[in-house]
Amino acid sequence: MKQNGKPTALIMIFGATGDLAKRKLFPSIYNLYTKGKLERFAVIGVARRPLSTKDFQTAVKNSIQTSNDSPADVNDFISRFYYHSHDVTDSSSYTALNQLAEELDGNYSLEGNRIFYLAMAPEFFGTIAEHLKKDGLTNVRGFKRLVIEKPFGHDLESAIALNKQIRTAFSENEIYRIDHYLGKEMVQNIEVIRFANAIFEPLWNNRYIANIQVTSSEILGVEERGRYYEKSGALRDMVQNHMLQMVALLAMEPPIRLTTDEIRSEKVKVLRALRPLKAEEVNDYFVRGQYGSGKINGEKVPGYREEPMVDKESNTETFVAGKLMIDNFRWAGVPFYIRTGKRMKAKSTKIVIQFKDIPMNLYYQTDQTLNPNLLVIHIQPEEGITLHLNAKKAGQNMEATPVKLNFSNKGADGMNTPEAYEKLLYDCIRGDATNFTHWDEVALSWSFTDKISEVWENTKEASFPNYQAGTMGPKAADELLEKDGFFWWPVTDLDV
Ligand code: NAD
């Protein structure tokens, strides 16, 4: 499969004229190329629109940052891109696509390795997979891998149907379900922070941790994605995948080895231990919100219901806060609070681990209370870790004051960390599926969130819109924690 240790493959991108291909995939492949991680490869762009290979290559060129690179490199890079105009629902053009694939395989010595990247609307996934098999594109002498974007289904039932369809052509270990959060540097770092530090692992349980908070907030609204978002909402768009994945990484047991199977199986156990919600409990554990108009950076912005392609009476949530309980020995009694939303005050993805108070406070701070220790993992836009401690305030009195120990990834590396897509694409080419979602994780996550969406879809939320754009969500999200004697640590105060 490999020669000179460098992986080799033909990458077919379905949806090659789309936004994802342009913004993420072409630049990621280019970065891998300039770093010398890809040597023998070719790309076939597939999309419906008629386009010449030359025009496609120009589009690829425009999508990559070329300022620091010699034109020779760029020209060699884009010369490996080919275009095939093709309606994925039309059987006749798969044969021609296969011919082109065979030809490139020979020309570039690609050893029959193929990656099929579906950067298209999910309703096409099943049809494409079936055609790939029927028309012989998966009949290769090397490896074949399918990469698919979220959403993987709309609920458990549709996810099962979709999985069945793609499994006709690919086995589970050939399916790479992208969750781009799993490619983020600091999400991958959760494991290392936990399992490579003697000071954390002994404390990482219900004896020492009071609660864990995971926030992923955006300033942007729904933008042009109203049509998609109306059917999705924040629960399907963020909680079912990214948020539950982060919780699984925070809560899992140490794997016996750092192999794909061992890590995934520990994550699966966390998802199996999530306390399932009965319909009548949903609104005790979960809060939904929808943004109204407001001001962001001094500019007035419309409410969700005024956005393009959105129903004027929409019942779709643009914010979710929830309390998850993980019923196992390690976590019994420790709430994991999650919240995510659009049009919030700050763009931030952060994890706050709040440790329990010490048994007795001997010291005073100016406000008479001692801050709990916090470990903050900054996922984006900053990347880093902050440990909040209490230390002596300089001066004569024995007064305690909060101090922060910071580690900032950007500061340490002095360069931007690689884009999540670049890492994931490289993992896929090398055949490492650790940072992709296994079917068992997808199924368990859907069965958890389905209970919530069933209740929310059957009851119209009369209070919508219930939070102003530019705020941190509805009041009920604060009350969710207040009931337990906690509060959300303000993400903006926790910056590195
Ligand atoms: P897009 O609408 O910009 O592009 C869709 C592509 O599919 C285009 O190239 C179009 O030509 C092609 N296409 C549509 N119908 C076709 C047909 N019948 N035959 C052949 N080609 C056809 O979409 P996008 O934003 O690039 O997103 C693609 C997928 O990635 C979606 O599943 C989306 O949910 C997911 N995704 C996108 C982003 C993002 O940043 N854009 C992020 C996460 C997930």
mmCIF file of all heavy atoms in Angstrom, residues 325-340:
data_model
loop_
_atom_site.group_PDB
_atom_site.id
_atom_site.type_symbol
_atom_site.label_atom_id
_atom_site.label_comp_id
_atom_site.label_asym_id
_atom_site.label_seq_id
_atom_site.Cartn_x
_atom_site.Cartn_y
_atom_site.Cartn_z
ATOM 1 N N MET A 325 -25.878 13.399 32.758
ATOM 2 C CA MET A 325 -25.364 12.613 33.874
ATOM 3 C C MET A 325 -24.811 11.308 33.313
ATOM 4 O O MET A 325 -25.435 10.668 32.464
ATOM 5 C CB MET A 325 -26.479 12.310 34.881
ATOM 6 C CG MET A 325 -27.103 13.545 35.528
ATOM 7 S SD MET A 325 -25.937 14.688 36.333
ATOM 8 C CE MET A 325 -25.412 13.734 37.745
ATOM 9 N N ILE A 326 -23.638 10.963 33.785
ATOM 10 C CA ILE A 326 -23.005 9.735 33.309
ATOM 11 C C ILE A 326 -23.042 8.752 34.476
ATOM 12 O O ILE A 326 -22.354 8.939 35.494
ATOM 13 C CB ILE A 326 -21.567 10.021 32.834
ATOM 14 C CG1 ILE A 326 -21.645 10.995 31.658
ATOM 15 C CG2 ILE A 326 -20.853 8.726 32.432
ATOM 16 C CD1 ILE A 326 -20.328 11.561 31.225
ATOM 17 N N ASP A 327 -23.887 7.760 34.325
ATOM 18 C CA ASP A 327 -24.127 6.870 35.459
ATOM 19 C C ASP A 327 -23.118 5.732 35.475
ATOM 20 O O ASP A 327 -23.434 4.599 35.106
ATOM 21 C CB ASP A 327 -25.575 6.356 35.409
ATOM 22 C CG ASP A 327 -26.573 7.473 35.715
ATOM 23 O OD1 ASP A 327 -26.202 8.395 36.470
ATOM 24 O OD2 ASP A 327 -27.698 7.437 35.195
ATOM 25 N N ASN A 328 -21.920 6.045 35.910
ATOM 26 C CA ASN A 328 -20.941 4.994 36.170
ATOM 27 C C ASN A 328 -20.174 5.356 37.450
ATOM 28 O O ASN A 328 -20.407 6.405 38.041
ATOM 29 C CB ASN A 328 -20.018 4.760 34.966
ATOM 30 C CG ASN A 328 -19.168 5.973 34.619
ATOM 31 O OD1 ASN A 328 -19.005 6.884 35.429
ATOM 32 N ND2 ASN A 328 -18.627 5.992 33.412
ATOM 33 N N PHE A 329 -19.286 4.470 37.875
ATOM 34 C CA PHE A 329 -18.596 4.666 39.146
ATOM 35 C C PHE A 329 -17.822 5.976 39.192
ATOM 36 O O PHE A 329 -17.821 6.681 40.179
ATOM 37 C CB PHE A 329 -17.607 3.500 39.360
ATOM 38 C CG PHE A 329 -18.046 2.593 40.464
ATOM 39 C CD1 PHE A 329 -19.238 1.884 40.376
ATOM 40 C CD2 PHE A 329 -17.261 2.448 41.598
ATOM 41 C CE1 PHE A 329 -19.637 1.051 41.394
ATOM 42 C CE2 PHE A 329 -17.659 1.622 42.625
ATOM 43 C CZ PHE A 329 -18.840 0.912 42.537
ATOM 44 N N ARG A 330 -17.146 6.279 38.107
ATOM 45 C CA ARG A 330 -16.291 7.459 38.083
ATOM 46 C C ARG A 330 -17.097 8.755 38.180
ATOM 47 O O ARG A 330 -16.707 9.704 38.838
ATOM 48 C CB ARG A 330 -15.452 7.467 36.802
ATOM 49 C CG ARG A 330 -14.407 8.559 36.773
ATOM 50 C CD ARG A 330 -13.709 8.641 35.424
ATOM 51 N NE ARG A 330 -12.719 7.624 35.229
ATOM 52 C CZ ARG A 330 -11.405 7.787 35.437
ATOM 53 N NH1 ARG A 330 -10.942 8.942 35.859
ATOM 54 N NH2 ARG A 330 -10.573 6.809 35.210
ATOM 55 N N TRP A 331 -18.238 8.793 37.497
ATOM 56 C CA TRP A 331 -18.915 10.079 37.327
ATOM 57 C C TRP A 331 -20.236 10.229 38.048
ATOM 58 O O TRP A 331 -20.855 11.294 37.963
ATOM 59 C CB TRP A 331 -19.114 10.366 35.828
ATOM 60 C CG TRP A 331 -17.821 10.544 35.123
ATOM 61 C CD1 TRP A 331 -17.303 9.753 34.151
ATOM 62 C CD2 TRP A 331 -16.840 11.574 35.371
ATOM 63 N NE1 TRP A 331 -16.063 10.211 33.764
ATOM 64 C CE2 TRP A 331 -15.754 11.320 34.492
ATOM 65 C CE3 TRP A 331 -16.764 12.662 36.238
ATOM 66 C CZ2 TRP A 331 -14.623 12.140 34.473
ATOM 67 C CZ3 TRP A 331 -15.633 13.473 36.210
ATOM 68 C CH2 TRP A 331 -14.584 13.207 35.337
ATOM 69 N N ALA A 332 -20.691 9.215 38.756
ATOM 70 C CA ALA A 332 -21.990 9.314 39.430
ATOM 71 C C ALA A 332 -22.064 10.623 40.216
ATOM 72 O O ALA A 332 -21.182 10.922 41.023
ATOM 73 C CB ALA A 332 -22.170 8.112 40.346
ATOM 74 N N GLY A 333 -23.102 11.389 39.951
ATOM 75 C CA GLY A 333 -23.318 12.632 40.697
ATOM 76 C C GLY A 333 -22.648 13.871 40.133
ATOM 77 O O GLY A 333 -22.873 14.968 40.623
ATOM 78 N N VAL A 334 -21.818 13.731 39.092
ATOM 79 C CA VAL A 334 -21.140 14.922 38.534
ATOM 80 C C VAL A 334 -21.867 15.398 37.274
ATOM 81 O O VAL A 334 -21.883 14.685 36.266
ATOM 82 C CB VAL A 334 -19.673 14.611 38.139
ATOM 83 C CG1 VAL A 334 -18.980 15.864 37.599
ATOM 84 C CG2 VAL A 334 -18.916 14.042 39.318
ATOM 85 N N PRO A 335 -22.461 16.581 37.322
ATOM 86 C CA PRO A 335 -23.118 17.047 36.098
ATOM 87 C C PRO A 335 -22.115 17.499 35.031
ATOM 88 O O PRO A 335 -21.129 18.164 35.357
ATOM 89 C CB PRO A 335 -23.980 18.216 36.557
ATOM 90 C CG PRO A 335 -23.518 18.582 37.924
ATOM 91 C CD PRO A 335 -22.653 17.486 38.463
ATOM 92 N N PHE A 336 -22.369 17.111 33.817
ATOM 93 C CA PHE A 336 -21.657 17.642 32.653
ATOM 94 C C PHE A 336 -22.635 18.607 31.986
ATOM 95 O O PHE A 336 -23.663 18.178 31.477
ATOM 96 C CB PHE A 336 -21.304 16.520 31.654
ATOM 97 C CG PHE A 336 -20.120 15.696 32.060
ATOM 98 C CD1 PHE A 336 -20.174 14.876 33.172
ATOM 99 C CD2 PHE A 336 -18.955 15.715 31.302
ATOM 100 C CE1 PHE A 336 -19.083 14.101 33.542
ATOM 101 C CE2 PHE A 336 -17.850 14.950 31.663
ATOM 102 C CZ PHE A 336 -17.916 14.142 32.786
ATOM 103 N N TYR A 337 -22.327 19.887 32.068
ATOM 104 C CA TYR A 337 -23.215 20.872 31.444
ATOM 105 C C TYR A 337 -22.673 21.215 30.064
ATOM 106 O O TYR A 337 -21.480 21.466 29.902
ATOM 107 C CB TYR A 337 -23.262 22.156 32.272
ATOM 108 C CG TYR A 337 -23.766 21.955 33.678
ATOM 109 C CD1 TYR A 337 -22.893 22.074 34.760
ATOM 110 C CD2 TYR A 337 -25.098 21.661 33.937
ATOM 111 C CE1 TYR A 337 -23.348 21.905 36.069
ATOM 112 C CE2 TYR A 337 -25.560 21.483 35.233
ATOM 113 C CZ TYR A 337 -24.672 21.606 36.292
ATOM 114 O OH TYR A 337 -25.120 21.426 37.565
ATOM 115 N N ILE A 338 -23.558 21.231 29.095
ATOM 116 C CA ILE A 338 -23.125 21.620 27.754
ATOM 117 C C ILE A 338 -23.991 22.784 27.271
ATOM 118 O O ILE A 338 -25.159 22.894 27.667
ATOM 119 C CB ILE A 338 -23.246 20.442 26.746
ATOM 120 C CG1 ILE A 338 -24.674 19.885 26.718
ATOM 121 C CG2 ILE A 338 -22.271 19.321 27.074
ATOM 122 C CD1 ILE A 338 -24.916 18.892 25.594
ATOM 123 N N ARG A 339 -23.434 23.641 26.475
ATOM 124 C CA ARG A 339 -24.277 24.677 25.844
ATOM 125 C C ARG A 339 -23.646 25.073 24.522
ATOM 126 O O ARG A 339 -22.413 25.117 24.382
ATOM 127 C CB ARG A 339 -24.498 25.897 26.734
ATOM 128 C CG ARG A 339 -23.285 26.682 26.980
ATOM 129 C CD ARG A 339 -23.542 27.926 27.822
ATOM 130 N NE ARG A 339 -22.271 28.370 28.339
ATOM 131 C CZ ARG A 339 -22.031 29.519 28.921
ATOM 132 N NH1 ARG A 339 -23.018 30.386 29.101
ATOM 133 N NH2 ARG A 339 -20.832 29.840 29.339
ATOM 134 N N THR A 340 -24.512 25.340 23.591
ATOM 135 C CA THR A 340 -24.046 25.742 22.262
ATOM 136 C C THR A 340 -25.111 26.617 21.624
ATOM 137 O O THR A 340 -26.307 26.403 21.839
ATOM 138 C CB THR A 340 -23.765 24.507 21.382
ATOM 139 O OG1 THR A 340 -23.311 24.954 20.097
ATOM 140 C CG2 THR A 340 -24.981 23.614 21.172
#
